[in-house]
Amino acid sequence: MTTDHQDTDTTILDTDVLVVGAGPAGLMLATELRLGGAEVVVVDQRPGPTTESRASTLHARTMEILDSRGLLDELGTPPCEPRGHFGGVPLDLTLPSSHPGQWKVAQTRTEELLQRRAAELGAVLRRRHQLLSLTAEDGVEAEAIGPYGPVRIRARYLVGCDGEDSTVRRLVRAPFPGRDAARELLRADVSGVEVADRRFQRLEHGLAIAATREGVTRVMVHEFGRPVAERGGAEPDFAEVTDVWKRVTGEDISQGTPLWVNAFGDANRQLAHYRHGRVLFAGDAAHRQMPSGGQALNLGVQDAFNLGWKLAAVVRGSAGEDLLDTYHSERHTVGRQVLANIRAQVELLLGGPEVEPARALLTELVALDGVRQHLAGMISGLGIRYDVEGPEIHSDEHPLLGRRLPDAWLEPTEGGARRRTTELLRTGRGLLLSLDGDGAPALRATAAPWSDRVAFVTDRPAAGGPLPAGQTLLVRPDGYVAWAGSGPAGLARALTRWFGTLAADD
């Protein structure tokens, strides 16, 4: 367990994992680590969840993730918009999912939800703590300064979830290739103005966006050809926003009251490696991109969901460190794809008249359902397919292999009420789902030594649902199908790959 004691004037904390950063990625990671049985300390410079009006969109895959951990009831029913965009070109995001479309949830609300769950599970959260130094050899030692003095934290692993200007990344000197921002959008939340809603409106001199909710208008504006301003790290003044808005739209919003003002550019960088020995990275600390379509927050939460169960298994000793390498290989690939689609969207959004032919062509292409589904799958996270087999595991090709387990109804074979596949994931354990309904004795016998890590379920799929009868699926704790078959061949190898080798007396 995490221990806390004093050494002269310094507080000493001993734990399994130190998470730096209590944004959505860090808090999601803390909940997954605790669910997997690892002790965790989270440190963050801020006094509480963000109060700024930052990300406000949860995509379908993130909603599915929250549902698989029983976290959606607290959110109620947030507004859902089936239509998104790709580079400002309207795009229907509806795909088969329990939560299709994009859901409007303020980042403040997301952080509050995840912070409460992390605390309920026993994560230790230290706010107003600034990381000063770290060393990582056989373990990790970090120094921080808190409101009551210095703190030394000893952990087996450290995960940097501390944002695009990551202190952890700087201390580790992790290569962060890519490009700096060349263009930017100015953004402000303003009360007391009346302007028409504008959805990615391209005008002669620039791009303008405006939307009003509950008396507050969010405006975003880019002036074609205008370079990134030098502000010395400070946010823009409201006067700068009003000047650019007037030049682009001809409208005067200077009489409004600014509630929040910031700027964001089209910097595009990604860590060469998400793992540096005992230091790992997730969220914006691992990749920096222009916010487009709400992908940044969702990408970070999904990083954490992939890493949490793996790191907990390594800490518990039920899996070897090579499991952590799959975190890099899976999420670096996804991150690279997302950053590439964001670069394309930036050109379509912020390019001048020269991009109009490309925009016209894309508008035609998204009318083709195959194109629409591909782009919607990329933005929503529903299109992810991991390479789960590995060099020693060869399963017959199956449409669900490497993809998320669909939300589906199951009919019980041993009495009880029907239930959803999503409900079976809430313990954070793996799942061996035998869909032939007869108990599959050979499969049960093969999986028995892993019964402390993998639940065996023999329900039948409901008629007309997305699950194939007569098949068996091995599902990881993050909901992705790691093996599929109709018999036990290859199952033991898949269980070993994802759930660890067994002790000699197992």
Side-chain angles (χ1 to χ4, degrees):
M1 61 181 293
T2 298
T3 60
D4 181 342
H5 61 278
Q6 291 289 130
D7 180 6
T8 63
D9 295 328
T10 301
T11 299
I12 309 294
L13 291 172
D14 290 280
T15 192
D16 291 327
V17 182
L18 169 61
V19 176
V20 182
L27 293 169
M28 184 80 246
L29 180 61
T31 65
E32 289 300 291
L33 287 166
R34 288 297 302 132
L35 197 62
E39 299 296 332
V40 57
V41 171
V42 184
V43 297
D44 192 279
Q45 296 186 59
R46 299 174 302 163
T50 182
T51 57
E52 297 176 344
S53 181
R54 292 188 177 271
S56 60
T57 297
L58 297 181
H59 283 297
R61 180 56 190 150
T62 301
M63 292 291 284
E64 290 180 350
I65 285 171
L66 297 178
D67 192 12
S68 73
R69 296 300 188 252
L71 287 165
L72 284 187
D73 287 348
E74 285 191 55
L75 287 182
T77 307
C80 178
E81 171 57 62
R83 186 180 67 161
H85 73 95
F86 189 92
V89 175
L91 178 68
D92 181 0
L93 293 174
T94 304
L95 291 173
S97 169
S98 57
H99 295 83
Q102 52 182 358
W103 300 76
K104 295 305 176 183
V105 180
Q107 182 171 334
T108 297
R109 186 74 185 92
T110 302
E111 290 189 13
E112 290 171 346
L113 175 71
L114 293 173
Q115 178 175 306
R116 184 156 45 250
R117 177 55 60 90
E120 288 171 356
L121 292 172
V124 176
L125 176 58
R126 294 295 184 97
R127 291 202 174 270
R128 298 188 178 91
H129 279 63
Q130 180 180 1
L131 183 69
L132 301 177
S133 66
L134 70 88
T135 58
E137 294 178 1
D138 294 336
V140 175
E141 285 209 12
E143 300 284 346
I145 187 70
Y148 304 108
V151 179
R152 182 185 306 156
I153 306 166
R154 298 184 296 225
R156 296 176 61 184
Y157 293 89
L158 180 148
V159 186
C161 300
D162 51 339
E164 60 184 24
D165 297 319
S166 170
T167 298
V168 176
R169 195 177 62 228
R170 174 177 56 79
L171 292 172
V172 173
R173 298 182 181 178
F176 196 44
R179 67 181 191 185
D180 291 330
R183 292 170 289 195
E184 69 177 0
L185 272 165
L186 301 177
R187 174 168 58 180
D189 286 349
V190 190
S191 65
V193 296
E194 293 185 8
V195 296
D197 282 0
R198 301 174 185 267
R199 186 176 175 85
F200 303 104
Q201 186 174 26
R202 287 171 59 84
L203 302 167
E204 180 182 0
H205 300 295
L207 171 75
I209 304 164
T212 300
R213 283 197 187 94
E214 298 178 354
V216 176
T217 300
R218 170 165 290 186
V219 297
M220 291 188 281
V221 63
H222 169 73
E223 187 174 13
F224 294 148
R226 186 173 186 262
V228 176
E230 292 292 337
R231 304 187 187 91
E235 300 291 6
D237 294 329
F238 184 53
E240 182 181 352
V241 178
T242 61
D243 288 347
V244 176
W245 184 265
K246 189 168 187 177
R247 289 199 296 270
V248 170
T249 69
E251 297 172 347
D252 184 3
I253 59 171
S254 61
Q255 76 278 10
T257 301
L259 307 177
W260 178 58
V261 179
N262 86 328
F264 55 93
D266 63 343
N268 199 280
R269 293 183 176 275
Q270 184 182 25
L271 281 174
H273 300 283
Y274 283 12
R275 181 187 177 196
H276 290 251
R278 291 184 175 270
V279 178
L280 300 101
F281 294 88
D284 288 347
H287 36 75
R288 182 173 186 175
Q289 60 284 310
M290 180 175 171
S292 181
Q295 291 184 86
L297 181 149
N298 291 268
L299 184 61
V301 168
Q302 292 166 36
D303 286 345
F305 200 61
N306 183 288
L307 175 59
W309 68 274
K310 296 175 179 178
L311 186 51
V314 172
V315 165
R316 290 196 320 266
S318 61
E321 288 201 1
D322 57 342
L323 185 60
L324 297 179
D325 294 330
T326 69
Y327 166 65
H328 167 80
S329 62
E330 291 179 349
R331 294 307 299 173
H332 192 275
T333 299
V334 171
R336 183 174 65 249
Q337 293 167 345
V338 170
L339 265 64
N341 92 53
I342 288 177
R343 283 199 304 270
Q345 292 194 64
V346 166
E347 296 303 320
L348 293 167
L349 274 173
L350 305 186
E354 72 279 0
V355 305
E356 289 304 327
R359 292 178 59 85
L361 177 60
L362 179 62
T363 301
E364 293 180 16
L365 290 175
V366 296
L368 303 174
D369 203 45
V371 174
R372 182 198 69 80
Q373 288 184 26
H374 177 74
L375 295 178
M378 183 184 304
I379 291 172
S380 66
L382 298 177
I384 293 171
R385 186 170 195 172
Y386 294 134
D387 179 8
V388 296
E389 293 187 275
E392 296 182 355
I393 303 171
H394 303 285
S395 178
D396 292 337
E397 185 65 21
H398 191 285
L400 289 178
L401 194 64
R403 296 191 183 279
R404 78 198 202 286
L405 180 69
D407 182 76
W409 284 103
L410 299 171
E411 303 288 353
T413 58
E414 299 177 355
R418 67 199 305 248
R419 50 187 174 176
R420 294 165 53 213
T421 52
T422 300
E423 297 170 16
L424 300 177
L425 296 171
R426 290 188 176 162
T427 63
R429 298 171 66 200
L431 172 67
L432 187 61
L433 182 58
S434 178
L435 298 169
D436 60 5
D438 66 1
L443 291 162
R444 185 188 294 271
T446 300
W450 286 270
S451 60
D452 62 327
R453 310 165 207 178
V454 179
F456 187 73
V457 176
T458 59
D459 292 356
R460 291 188 179 92
L467 295 179
Q471 296 284 308
T472 299
L473 306 176
L474 176 63
V475 185
R476 307 186 322 188
D478 59 356
Y480 286 87
V481 177
W483 176 88
S486 55
L491 176 57
R493 290 193 298 273
L495 285 161
T496 299
R497 174 173 171 79
W498 296 109
F499 297 97
T501 56
L502 301 173
D505 58 350
D506 284 345

